[in-house]
Amino acid sequence: MEQLTTLRSLFKFHSGRVIALGRVMLALTLFLIVIFGRSPSELTQSYPFLILYAANAVVIAVATWKNWWLDARLAILTHGIDMAVFTGLAFSSTGTSSPFILFFILPLLSAAVRWSWRETALTAAVLIALFMVGGFLLAGTDGFSSQRFVLRAANLVILTLLLIWFGVHQHFARTFFRLEDSESVVREGENPLAGSLVFAMRASEAAGGALIVGAVGEEACDGFTVASGVGRNFTAEHALLRPFGDGGNIALLFDRRAGRALSRPPEGRFRFLNLPDVIDIDEAQALGLTAGVIAEINSSTHHGWLVLWDVPDLSTDYLDFGRELAATVGALLERYALLEAIEAGAAVRTRLSLARDVHDSIVQFLAGAAFRLEAIKRSARSGAAVVGDLDELKRLLVEEQSEIRGFIMALRRDRDLELAEAINELRVLADRLSQQWSVDCNVNGNGETGSIPIRLQLDLQQMLREAVANAVRHGGAKRVDVGLAVENNHLQLRVVDDGSGFKKTGNGSEPWSLKERVERAHGSIDLVSRPGSTNILISLPLAGAAA
């Protein structure tokens, strides 16, 4: 297993190594074919080609094995040599029956793996043209078979079309890893830059890295870097990359000590650059850059650069790998931004919910207490005994304190409540409201069974407080009747009072706090108000009420 892992690491993201090793193996194979399968005269004709080509293949493989710069520099030259050798070998011995015709596959595969379908198509066009020209030159000579020539030409065309399709499919379907594999990276409360950079470093096995981003439309200056296992935040004083006309979605390999860089657009050729022309050397030194890859990050929320250095066995494949890794990092940053937005929204909803709860419970109780104190004050002025009223008010204050504690405990438990138990709790609350507001408040249930979430029960209590307080303070009601029922998976709360009703306003007649609480529970409220009667019908869905 360890041997397989080692072999995989030798060729992972190393298409140049695969091509170089394939060239060596093919040259040796053809050499053996000539030695054991051909006559002395054919050996004499083929030896020069094979010896020179085999030596060339070995030298190139050794020279480019760990040198991405030289691999890119020699890519076009070696590609041209491969095509020239193919043409020479294909017609050097037995014409159309030559076994070297199979060598046609290597240049095509090299173009498909190293570049795009356009380069593959161009390579195929040149090779087919050379094959056709060689065939016409050999036509009429001894050993030339027009049938075999046409058959091989057709095979070459079919193989070309397949490899062009492979190049197109490779371009659109290329993926080094799935975004789903990185979902566990996003953690609540974690530094987004740190989490995204650590993910990129693990994916590339880089020893050091930096992530420099900014909001879309702003300069990328917020950064996080990891070097020697230590991470820190920093602010970039200058732009790391200088404009060098490579369009968008930039990716480049760099070597600071050698002062050179290599880039290639997604649909283009290699560009060989001087490092000071594309990178701010002072910023690079400050970060500790040595040799690695830089890729541009473009997302709906961020723009910036992913920088990785001290990557084991860096190769030209890291241009494409870096782009995809940068795209994944951009997606991770978007997920972090979404998570922050969700947390901010939850915080806002919590603040609004607490504001409603304080308004509908404590504020309303204090308003009722003030109402009672005014009545006690008037009684004291007339000489009536007020000790009993004060004791009653004290008792209500103690009960309200217990109610608030129970409210907090209920929020912590977050359990379901039986409908009968909910009605009993509302009746107890109605009794206290009756004493608090000097009103006759009654709660009736239809006797149905079922359960409701504790969050919905707390909302019901606050709605009852608000409805009774509004009926007394704004309508002067003396009686409030409350009905509770479950119909069609909805909880129906009906509140009827004998007050003077609500005045119509431009924003509707429903009390704002009551309306907000109903909307938060995804319910509906219907108010019919006229002098002498106010009827409020509130419908709350039971499904999802616990959310």
Side-chain angles (χ1 to χ4, degrees):
M1 183 62 70
E2 293 181 359
Q3 294 176 345
L4 290 176
T5 302
T6 303
L7 184 63
R8 179 175 178 269
S9 64
L10 282 176
F11 299 103
K12 182 180 180 182
F13 308 139
H14 286 284
S15 59
R17 287 183 181 178
V18 174
I19 294 171
L21 186 61
R23 184 182 295 114
V24 171
M25 295 177 65
L26 187 57
L28 294 177
T29 301
L30 294 175
F31 195 82
L32 293 175
I33 291 175
V34 169
I35 292 177
F36 294 106
R38 296 295 163 188
S39 64
S41 61
E42 292 174 335
L43 285 175
T44 303
Q45 295 175 356
S46 303
Y47 261 140
F49 279 111
L50 291 175
I51 293 175
L52 289 176
Y53 185 73
N56 173 75
V58 172
V59 170
I60 291 176
V62 173
T64 62
W65 193 259
K66 289 189 176 183
N67 192 325
W68 53 266
W69 176 266
L70 190 59
D71 181 39
R73 276 291 191 187
L74 297 178
I76 295 179
L77 176 61
T78 55
H79 196 64
I81 292 175
D82 289 341
M83 290 191 292
V85 171
F86 154 75
T87 305
L89 288 177
F91 297 101
S92 63
S93 55
T94 56
T96 55
S97 63
S98 172
F100 302 118
I101 198 71
L102 295 176
F103 196 75
F104 180 86
I105 298 174
L106 179 63
L108 278 177
L109 282 176
S110 299
V113 171
R114 189 188 291 274
W115 295 301
S116 68
W117 67 270
R118 292 181 176 85
E119 286 77 8
T120 305
L122 179 61
T123 300
V126 172
L127 289 174
I128 292 175
L130 291 174
F131 183 77
M132 298 297 290
V133 169
F136 287 126
L137 292 176
L138 293 177
T141 61
D142 295 338
F144 180 82
S145 171
S146 59
Q147 182 179 7
R148 181 172 294 178
F149 175 78
V150 172
L151 180 61
R152 288 198 168 189
N155 289 336
L156 295 181
V157 171
I158 293 173
L159 180 60
T160 296
L161 294 176
L162 290 175
L163 288 177
I164 291 175
W165 175 89
F166 169 76
V168 174
H169 181 74
Q170 182 189 41
H171 171 70
F172 289 107
R174 173 178 289 163
T175 178
F176 294 95
F177 39 74
R178 300 173 303 171
L179 183 58
E180 291 77 6
D181 298 334
S182 62
E183 288 182 346
S184 60
V185 175
V186 181
R187 299 183 181 90
E188 184 177 351
E190 186 182 40
N191 182 344
L193 298 183
S196 301
L197 178 59
V198 169
F199 166 79
M201 291 177 62
R202 289 176 178 173
S204 62
E205 300 180 0
L211 187 57
I212 310 171
V213 298
V216 174
E218 299 179 2
E219 188 69 30
C221 58
D222 298 328
F224 187 86
T225 181
V226 175
S228 301
V230 179
R232 63 178 177 88
N233 292 295
F234 71 95
T235 300
E237 297 181 359
H238 306 285
L240 178 62
L241 261 70
R242 311 180 194 277
F244 61 96
D246 213 14
N249 200 13
I250 295 172
L252 60 87
L253 303 180
F254 65 90
D255 187 337
R256 187 170 64 85
R257 294 186 180 92
R260 58 196 182 190
L262 175 69
S263 74
R264 185 182 65 194
E267 295 290 337
R269 300 177 181 177
F270 289 122
R271 292 188 61 191
F272 303 93
L273 309 164
N274 292 321
L275 192 63
D277 294 337
V278 295
I279 291 182
D280 188 304
I281 299 299
D282 293 335
E283 284 290 335
Q285 290 178 344
L287 290 173
L289 272 62
T290 53
V293 58
I294 300 177
E296 186 176 12
I297 296 173
N298 280 310
S299 71
S300 60
T301 57
H302 295 84
H303 172 266
W305 304 99
L306 172 65
V307 188
L308 301 168
W309 60 88
D310 291 340
V311 179
D313 288 336
L314 193 65
S315 72
T316 55
D317 288 4
Y318 276 82
L319 291 171
D320 292 325
F321 178 71
R323 284 192 183 92
E324 187 161 342
L325 191 55
T328 303
V329 168
L332 287 176
L333 293 175
E334 287 184 342
R335 287 174 180 255
Y336 276 111
L338 177 60
L339 183 60
E340 290 178 357
I342 292 174
E343 291 175 351
V348 170
R349 290 192 297 271
T350 300
R351 289 198 300 270
L352 293 176
S353 179
L354 288 175
R356 285 190 293 266
D357 291 340
V358 170
H359 174 272
D360 295 346
S361 58
I362 300 175
V363 173
Q364 296 291 6
F365 174 79
L366 292 177
F371 187 83
R372 289 292 301 274
L373 284 173
E374 273 302 316
I376 294 173
K377 185 178 179 180
R378 289 193 297 269
S379 298
R381 288 174 180 172
S382 64
V386 296
V387 175
D389 292 334
L390 289 174
D391 289 339
E392 178 65 19
L393 183 58
K394 177 182 177 181
R395 184 183 66 81
L396 290 176
L397 287 169
V398 173
E399 289 182 353
E400 183 65 19
Q401 183 184 32
S402 300
E403 180 71 17
I404 294 174
R405 287 177 178 172
F407 173 76
I408 295 173
M409 291 179 64
L411 286 177
R412 289 174 176 171
R413 288 195 302 267
D414 194 21
R415 64 181 178 87
D416 286 351
L417 199 69
E418 293 297 324
L419 184 59
E421 186 179 356
I423 293 174
N424 290 334
E425 289 187 1
L426 289 178
R427 284 172 177 164
V428 172
L429 177 60
D431 291 339
R432 290 204 305 273
L433 293 174
S434 296
Q435 298 175 18
Q436 178 182 341
W437 292 101
S438 300
V439 66
D440 184 13
C441 184
N442 300 287
V443 175
N444 297 306
N446 64 355
E448 291 187 18
T449 59
S451 61
I452 62 174
I454 189 66
R455 175 70 256 183
L456 188 56
Q457 169 66 356
L458 296 175
D459 284 338
L460 286 175
Q461 293 179 0
Q462 304 295 26
M463 291 176 191
L464 180 57
R465 291 173 184 271
E466 174 78 1
V468 173
N470 288 331
V472 176
R473 294 173 62 187
H474 303 297
K478 298 299 182 182
R479 180 181 178 85
V480 178
D481 292 317
V482 181
L484 194 65
V486 176
E487 297 178 3
N488 299 325
N489 204 31
H490 279 68
L491 190 65
Q492 308 289 345
L493 176 68
R494 183 181 298 275
V495 182
V496 181
D497 67 71
D498 60 354
S500 59
F502 288 90
K503 295 181 180 179
K504 293 289 185 180
T505 63
N507 296 326
S509 57
E510 301 91 348
W512 66 268
S513 179
L514 193 61
K515 184 178 180 180
E516 280 188 358
R517 189 176 294 279
V518 172
E519 289 177 349
R520 188 182 68 85
H522 307 291
S524 62
I525 180 172
D526 185 22
L527 186 146
V528 178
S529 180
R530 58 179 179 272
S533 176
T534 299
N535 192 329
I536 301 176
L537 177 61
I538 298 173
S539 179
L540 303 172
L542 292 176

